Structure formats: C-alpha cells, structure tokens
C-alpha cells in the first residue's frame, strides 16, 4: 500500500471523479518544435528541436502547478505556451473554453492581460529609467484609463504595502538600481498583479534569490494568491522550491524530461511514491526531500545508465528516457508510453505502470559500451 494521500484536491483522478470545475486553461497535445540553425540547415530540412512534445495539462482556478526538470527540458517553453507568449506548432491552448490562437487579435490582447509572467531576472524586466511609481502606473493607465491620478496613487501605495514595500511613498520614488534583487522581484510581481491576472507564470522567479529571500518570496506569492484569485505556473529546476510552493498550496508537481511531462501529482504522490525512473533520479539528487530514499542510496551511483542528456533535436526512439533509464527494456526503444493513472491517482508515462504491457516480456536493453554512440544522445 502506498504512503500517498488520496485526499489532495489536486489528485488527477479526484478532479475527474468529482466532475470538478472546468479547467481555466487546457493545453491539449501541445508541441513546440523549433527549426534550428541557419538557412543552410533549414534548406537541408534538418530536424527541429522538440522543445515540447505532445503535452496535455489542465490548469484550474486558484491552482498551483510547479513544473520541474533539468535545464532544456521544455518547462519554460511549456509555461510560455500556456500564457500565450509562445505559439505552439501543434495542439491547442484553450483559455476559458476558447482557442487562444483562434480568437481575433483584439480579443487576444485582452486575454493576454489575464496571463502574466514574472521572470528570473526582474532587473531586466524593469525599465531602468522609470521609478517604481511610473512602472506601476503604466498598466493602470493602459487597462483602466478612466482612473484618476489620486485613485491611481492610492492603488499603487496599497499594492506596495501588500508586497511588503513600506513605506510605500518612499519606495514609489526609487529607480530599479536603488532596489535589492528581492525588492525588484516584488515590484515585478506587483506589476503583474495590477492586471488582475487569472494565471501568473513565475519563471524561475525565486532562483536568483538567496535561500531566506526565496522562502519569503514564495510565501508572498501564496499570500497574494487569495487577494487576486490567481493561479500560478511555477517553473523551477529545483525540486526543493517546487515542493515548498506546491506543498503549502496543496498544488501539484509536474516533472518534465526532454519536452515530455513524464509524471504529475500532488506533493505526497511525487515525493513519497515516485513512479517514473526520472523522478527517482531527481529525488536522488535532492536527498533532503526524502530521507528514506537518501539513506538507501547514500553511497550509490546515480540511478541512470547514461549521464549524457539526449539532444532534443535528435531525441531517442520510443520512450524519451530510454537511453538513461536503469529499467529500460527493448520495447522502450520502440514505443513511447502515454501517461496513465497510478494506483494512488497520479499520472506517469512509463510502461511499468501497465501490468499487461509487452514491457514485462521484453529483454533488458543492453548496456552501451564505453565510446559507443547511443541513438539520440549528445556526444561531447
Ligand atoms: S517506459 Fe521504459 S525507458 Fe521509459 S521510463 Fe519506463 S522503464 Fe524507463
């Protein structure tokens, strides 16, 4: 019997079984393939980089989903696709039941107001020549042109206090270079909140902060969630950050590998009952998150067959993790697993979830010999 709770409001099966609310945003079979290189490569028809490959995901009102995975796994591209900053090359993005890319352009710009982003580098996102007041006044003028200067001023002051920048009248007159990194990130968050967004993409938004400020910022994000009724898509390469935010909000963690969403579930499901071999690798590399696993694997080599991450322009055949997976069998190099539901109600893309799958009769994949090229694996 698994230790995982079945009580989380974010269990995939619970939502379906209870016929919960319609998703706020529905990503269906999203593909984002980039043509790479210069003209010659394009003319020669070289393979595209598969940044996101057939990912489906629903996001609900007041939801929190933390997407984790190593650099280049497609989590930022997927997040940007969710908020309309990246047009997918395949699949659909439905926001409040409408196909985002099919609505007229004027309507789409209104939808964009509801889909905001805060970046890892707030300094780069703030105009160095604008005071905090001017930065925050701009969206109010644009989206609320009837608002008078007095009301605008009081909204800005109230917002600064909400994001912990007091005295507000003092911070309002400062320029970005007169703020710390944490304060700049608060201004960026405040500017996003002024749009009254339905979804905020926080793209590595706490990664550049030191640990105590990171916690403060994540607490602030959650505190403000109730104030503006927003959902967060939180992108992080750090499973510990994802755990903190998702655990405090009863949210979900989604694990991405090579453009695929390979496992998704509540914090308990992912941390205490990981099913995908790649999720186990992530946990192995973040021992503080699961001391039981850490103790068992303390002196063991990483649970992968290959260290090299495959080239997304030339991904492996079959399961994207087969070149590194310690559980891989020959069938894994021929077929790509769909996400299926686990016993405890979360979802994972691995044949080992399917008791009747050919996987169980298939012979193990042979270990690659030193120096031997493996299909789809970057050779340095
Ligand atoms: S399908 Fe095969 S290669 Fe892929 S994660 Fe499962 S066992 Fe590993």
């Amino acid at each position: 019997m698994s230790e995982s709770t079945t009580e989380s409001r974010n269990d995939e099966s619970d939502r379906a079984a209870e016929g919960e609310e319609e998703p706020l945003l529905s990503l269906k079979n999203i593909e984002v393939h980039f043509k790479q290189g210069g003209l010659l490569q394009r003319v020669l028809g070289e393979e595209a980089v598969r940044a996101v490959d057939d990912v489906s995901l629903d996001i609900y009102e007041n939801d929190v989903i933390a997407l984790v995975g190593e650099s280049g796994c497609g989590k930022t591209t997927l997040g940007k696709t969710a908020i309309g900053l990246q047009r997918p090359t395949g699949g659909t993005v439905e926001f409040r039941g409408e196909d985002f890319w099919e609505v007229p352009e004027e309507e789409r710009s209104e939808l964009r107001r509801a889909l905001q982003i805060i970046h890892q580098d707030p300094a780069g996102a703030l105009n160095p020549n604008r005071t905090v007041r001017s930065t925050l006044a701009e969206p109010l003028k644009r989206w609320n042109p009837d608002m008078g200067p007095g009301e605008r001023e009081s909204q800005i002051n109230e917002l600064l206090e909400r994001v912990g920048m007091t005295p507000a009248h003092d911070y309002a007159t400062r320029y970005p270079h007169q703020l710390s990194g944490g304060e700049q990130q608060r201004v960026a968050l405040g500017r996003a909140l002024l749009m009254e967004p339905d979804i905020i993409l926080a793209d590595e938004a706490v990664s550049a902060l030191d640990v105590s400020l990171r916690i403060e910022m994540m607490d602030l994000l959650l505190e403000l969630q109730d104030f503006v009724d927003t959902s967060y898509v939180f992108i992080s390469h750090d499973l510990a950050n994802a755990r903190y935010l998702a655990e405090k909000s009863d949210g979900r963690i989604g694990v991405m590998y090579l453009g695929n969403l390979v496992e998704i579930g509540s914090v308990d499901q992912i941390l205490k009952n990981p099913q995908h071999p790649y999720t186990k690798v992530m946990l192995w590399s973040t021992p503080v998150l699961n001391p039981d696993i850490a103790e068992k694997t303390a002196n063991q080599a990483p649970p992968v067959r290959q260290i090299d991450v495959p080239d997304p322009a030339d991904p492996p055949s079959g399961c994207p993790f087969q070149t590194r997976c310690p559980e891989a069998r020959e069938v894994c190099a021929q077929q790509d697993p769909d996400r299926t539901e686990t016993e405890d109600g979360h979802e994972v893309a691995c044949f080992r979830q399917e008791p009747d799958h050919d996987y169980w009769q298939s012979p193990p994949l042979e270990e690659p010999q030193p120096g031997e090229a493996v299909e789809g694996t970057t050779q340095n």
Side-chain angles (χ1 to χ4, degrees):
M1 182 77 185
S2 114
E3 292 175 85
S4 296
T5 176
T6 54
E7 291 171 5
S8 164
R9 71 180 170 89
N10 275 320
D11 281 9
E12 303 297 313
S13 56
D14 284 359
R15 285 198 188 275
E18 290 168 13
E20 275 195 52
E21 80 270 35
E22 287 294 304
L24 176 65
L25 184 117
S26 196
L27 300 170
K28 292 192 177 129
N29 306 108
I30 293 295
E31 286 179 359
V32 184
H33 295 178
F34 297 113
K35 287 279 180 214
Q36 63 172 352
L39 188 61
L40 183 63
Q41 279 169 301
R42 287 164 200 248
V43 170
L44 291 175
E46 296 218 349
E47 285 296 313
V49 173
R50 297 171 177 220
V52 177
D53 216 8
D54 196 13
V55 172
S56 297
L57 174 67
D58 288 336
I59 299 168
Y60 297 84
E61 306 259 7
N62 288 304
D63 204 355
V64 172
I65 173 148
L67 295 175
V68 292
E70 55 208 337
S71 174
C73 69
K75 53 192 187 304
T76 292
T77 307
L78 182 65
K80 287 186 171 172
T81 306
I83 62 162
L85 287 179
Q86 173 67 53
R87 188 169 191 150
T89 49
T92 55
V93 180
E94 275 183 20
F95 179 58
R96 295 199 178 280
E98 285 191 287
D99 186 327
F100 185 89
W101 292 102
E102 290 296 316
V103 299
E105 181 54 46
E106 321 82 67
E107 217 178 301
R108 202 179 305 142
S109 80
E110 175 62 26
L111 295 184
R112 280 211 170 89
R113 185 181 67 82
L115 303 167
Q116 291 294 314
I117 183 169
I118 49 176
H119 299 271
Q120 176 173 4
D121 173 23
L126 298 176
N127 185 330
N129 301 315
R130 283 192 168 192
T131 61
V132 170
R133 177 184 288 116
S134 166
T135 294
L136 297 178
E138 193 267 329
L140 287 176
K141 284 181 187 164
R142 181 165 175 213
W143 295 106
N144 210 340
D146 297 335
M147 185 182 276
E151 196 185 341
R152 208 158 45 230
E153 180 74 10
S154 77
Q155 274 227 9
I156 289 171
N157 287 342
E158 188 195 341
L159 181 81
L160 285 172
E161 281 166 18
R162 279 209 184 264
V163 298
M165 297 179 76
T166 52
H169 58 84
D170 172 29
Y171 277 107
T173 60
R174 297 197 198 177
Y175 289 88
H177 73 272
Q178 296 171 308
L179 302 170
S180 68
E183 288 166 345
Q184 289 171 349
Q185 197 57 287
R186 283 165 194 257
V187 175
L189 174 60
R191 185 174 57 182
L193 292 175
L194 281 174
M195 311 280 195
E196 298 179 5
D198 291 318
I199 297 178
I200 295 178
L201 171 65
D203 184 11
E204 298 280 8
V206 301
S207 302
L209 305 176
D210 71 37
V211 175
S212 61
L213 285 176
R214 224 178 272 176
I215 302 278
E216 252 181 48
M217 191 69 194
M218 288 191 281
D219 285 342
L220 182 64
L221 287 172
L222 296 177
E223 197 185 307
L224 292 171
Q225 186 179 27
D226 293 335
F227 171 56
V228 288
D229 272 345
T230 195
S231 298
Y232 289 115
V233 177
F234 181 81
I235 307 278
S236 181
H237 64 277
D238 185 338
L239 190 52
N241 290 340
R243 191 276 294 262
Y244 185 85
L245 197 86
E247 195 163 55
K248 286 199 88 172
S249 58
D250 194 17
R252 290 170 291 168
I253 294 179
V255 180
M256 289 199 67
Y257 181 78
L258 212 63
N260 291 258
L261 185 58
V262 296
E263 186 158 14
I264 181 166
S266 69
V267 174
D268 267 5
Q269 288 165 338
I270 297 296
L271 298 194
K272 293 185 181 166
N273 189 29
Q275 293 298 310
H276 197 281
Y278 177 65
T279 308
K280 293 176 186 173
V281 175
M282 290 208 79
L283 276 166
W284 177 89
S285 60
T286 323
V288 68
L289 291 181
N290 193 329
D292 292 345
I293 292 180
E295 198 179 325
K296 281 186 215 149
T297 60
N299 297 314
Q300 291 176 12
V304 287
R305 296 191 310 131
Q306 287 261 331
I307 299 295
D308 291 338
V309 181
D311 180 354
D314 182 22
S317 58
C319 173
F321 195 49
Q322 56 100 345
T323 55
R324 301 171 76 199
C325 180
E327 310 287 356
R329 299 190 179 194
E330 282 185 8
V331 70
C332 303
Q334 294 149 12
Q335 297 175 25
D336 187 4
D338 290 328
R339 255 176 26 220
T340 54
E341 197 173 300
T342 61
E343 269 182 21
D344 68 3
H346 76 285
E347 291 185 2
V348 64
C350 175
F351 297 134
R352 293 172 65 79
Q353 284 307 304
E354 302 172 47
D356 300 326
H357 195 274
D358 293 348
Y359 169 88
W360 299 104
Q361 271 72 52
S362 182
L365 265 186
E366 280 181 22
E367 286 296 324
Q369 298 306 306
E372 182 186 339
V374 175
E375 184 184 357
T377 302
T378 307
Q379 300 293 304
N380 293 317

